[in-house]
Amino acid sequence: MVMPAMSEKERRPEDDGRDFANAAWSIPSYLLAGIILYGGAGWLLSRWTGVAVFTPIGVILGVVLSIYLVYRKFGR
Amino acid sequence: MNALTVLAADEFKAPGLELFEIPPLWDGAPFWLTKPVVLAVLSSLLMIGLCWSAFSNPKLVPRGIQNVAEMGYMFVRDQIARPFLGKDTDRWMGLLLSIFLLVWLWNLLGVVPVLQFPVASHIAFPIVLAASIYLLKIYLGIKHQGAIGYFKNMMFPPGLPKFIYVLLAPIEFLSNLIIAPFTHAVRLFANMFAGHMILAFFSMVGFWFLFEKLTPLGAPVGVVGVLMTIAMTGFELFIQFLQAFLFALLAAMYIGGSLHPEH
């Protein structure tokens, strides 16, 4: 019998279930937070400067940052 | 009585927000004494009664109501609590079982004839539950990880390039401390609100076209309305259970996350 490879810490099967549930319930919340935060900042910047393009830039920056965060946190 | 005012019109009118504008129980009653409040109290009494009769004098070989309640207990323990709380499961079972049963009873009252109002479709009720869990989450986090440690673990996940924390910490903060509790309450509220609306709509269609304005062309529509009411009630029973499960599951997740920092 070949033992399955273990990561540094010993993992129980229920850990995977918990990690999956954690990720599944946090990811939409992170995406929303990124869009609201940086989209909102961009929108404010647009209002101050009168340059409309800051709003979409902020939204896109927010999406990119939250996807990066989710990837680093849950992507292993 | 809201249904009757709608039916007094001459044309079919779909039920709307007036379904949720509930007056005090009788003229001159205190303004807060409304049907949802009574139903919420009733659910609490039912839950206390259920748990009392099941667990106050437990037998080694469970019979009758203890048997049923133990199935609920096992479900909450194995499916909700244990995956998130591990060895702390037993300490939190009282809270989690109560939340699960209470929310499920709230929801179930939405399809019990005569009562027929889902308590959680008034957002104040889920807000109170979600806010209690939120306060508990922060209290436990500070207690087990320290005031600074808790926020550091939350906002600065290890292993990222230094400069990027400036951009990511606000996202973590907003997500964990504002959006998560908000959606915790709104998810339950919105599901119950929409479900009640759907049931009211289809039963109104059936009532209107079969009883109020019976015409050869309208009758089939009324039959469809009745059939859809039955089908949607079955679906609603499933959603009610699912939302109670999710509400308790997220509570367990937040508590577990505060007891042990991630990774």
Side-chain angles (χ1 to χ4, degrees), chain A:
Chain A
M1 284 291 285
V2 182
M3 290 297 285
M6 285 279 180
S7 55
E8 322 81 70
K9 270 195 303 179
E10 197 154 320
R11 292 182 65 79
R12 293 164 302 154
E14 62 256 37
D15 283 350
D16 288 329
R18 185 193 55 206
D19 290 348
F20 178 77
N22 262 330
W25 290 107
S26 322
I27 288 171
S29 171
Y30 280 127
L31 291 177
L32 209 58
I35 293 170
I36 292 175
L37 206 66
Y38 291 99
W43 180 76
L44 280 181
L45 216 57
S46 292
R47 270 178 63 106
W48 279 335
T49 58
V51 184
V53 79
F54 282 126
T55 309
I57 288 178
V59 171
I60 291 166
L61 179 71
V63 174
V64 169
L65 282 173
S66 10
I67 290 176
Y68 174 73
L69 177 64
V70 164
Y71 174 72
R72 291 303 294 259
K73 266 186 95 127
F74 303 111
R76 271 181 268 283

